[in-house]
Amino acid sequence: MTEKDYNFIAKVEQAIGDKYGEETIQNPKANWSEEKEKEYLEQIKKIQQKQRKISEAKDKIEVNGFFISKKLLNKDSKRLCLVCETYSFDGKDDLYMNKYDCCFGCYVQWVENREERWESGWRPTKENASKRVW
């Protein structure tokens, strides 16, 4: 390279420094330390852990010929009434399933006005539960 090339490079660096600040033309290692290196490595580890969790959640498992997300299999579903053993998609059953582990119909027949007995552990027998009035 000739003398003119070095002058051109210096002028370009000076123009960049004037426009964007002095940090843009510094050597990247100028402000780097062992402490910053450790911080950077910790940040990389955290990012990798997050990415690993995301990829594990997206993993699919074959169940009865269908691919289902692992994320769905880990969720506990409270849709099965433990008293009458019916599966419910009804929205009004959600409250009773969460609080009393039974559907709305079983709540009306077996729990309503007898909450203390229900919470103490009493449940109808299988024969009685199959004889629903509703």
Side-chain angles (χ1 to χ4, degrees):
M1 295 184 115
T2 64
E3 188 69 30
K4 291 180 181 178
D5 292 333
Y6 289 122
N7 287 334
F8 178 72
I9 292 171
K11 286 180 183 179
V12 169
E13 277 187 9
Q14 188 176 13
I16 290 172
D18 291 341
K19 186 170 184 177
Y20 298 107
E22 290 298 318
E23 290 181 355
T24 57
I25 56 174
Q26 281 183 343
N27 184 344
K29 290 185 179 181
N31 295 325
W32 201 253
S33 65
E34 288 291 323
E35 192 175 299
K36 285 186 178 183
E37 181 73 21
K38 288 178 183 178
E39 256 183 64
Y40 174 71
L41 293 175
E42 285 296 319
Q43 289 173 357
I44 289 175
K45 286 179 186 178
K46 287 180 183 178
I47 290 171
Q48 287 176 342
Q49 288 173 351
K50 286 181 183 178
Q51 288 175 343
R52 193 176 309 120
K53 285 182 181 179
I54 290 170
S55 68
E56 287 175 359
K58 290 182 179 179
D59 286 345
K60 306 274 185 195
I61 297 176
E62 185 177 349
V63 178
N64 297 330
F66 296 98
F67 286 105
I68 299 175
S69 174
K70 270 186 178 179
K71 187 176 172 183
L72 294 175
L73 294 176
N74 293 339
K75 289 186 177 177
D76 292 332
S77 176
K78 287 197 170 192
R79 293 284 182 193
L80 182 66
C81 177
L82 299 178
V83 179
C84 65
E85 297 179 348
T86 58
Y87 194 84
S88 172
F89 287 107
D90 195 357
K92 68 181 177 183
D93 287 340
D94 289 344
L95 170 71
Y96 303 103
M97 291 286 192
N98 288 329
K99 191 166 183 179
Y100 299 106
D101 292 326
C102 67
C103 63
F104 175 72
C106 289
Y107 170 78
V108 169
Q109 185 171 359
W110 305 109
V111 182
E112 191 172 39
N113 298 323
R114 297 179 286 268
E115 285 88 1
E116 291 175 10
R117 178 177 73 162
W118 186 266
E119 289 177 5
S120 70
W122 180 87
R123 299 292 183 270
T125 62
K126 295 287 181 189
E127 293 171 2
N128 288 342
S130 64
K131 299 175 185 175
R132 296 195 294 196
V133 241
W134 41 270

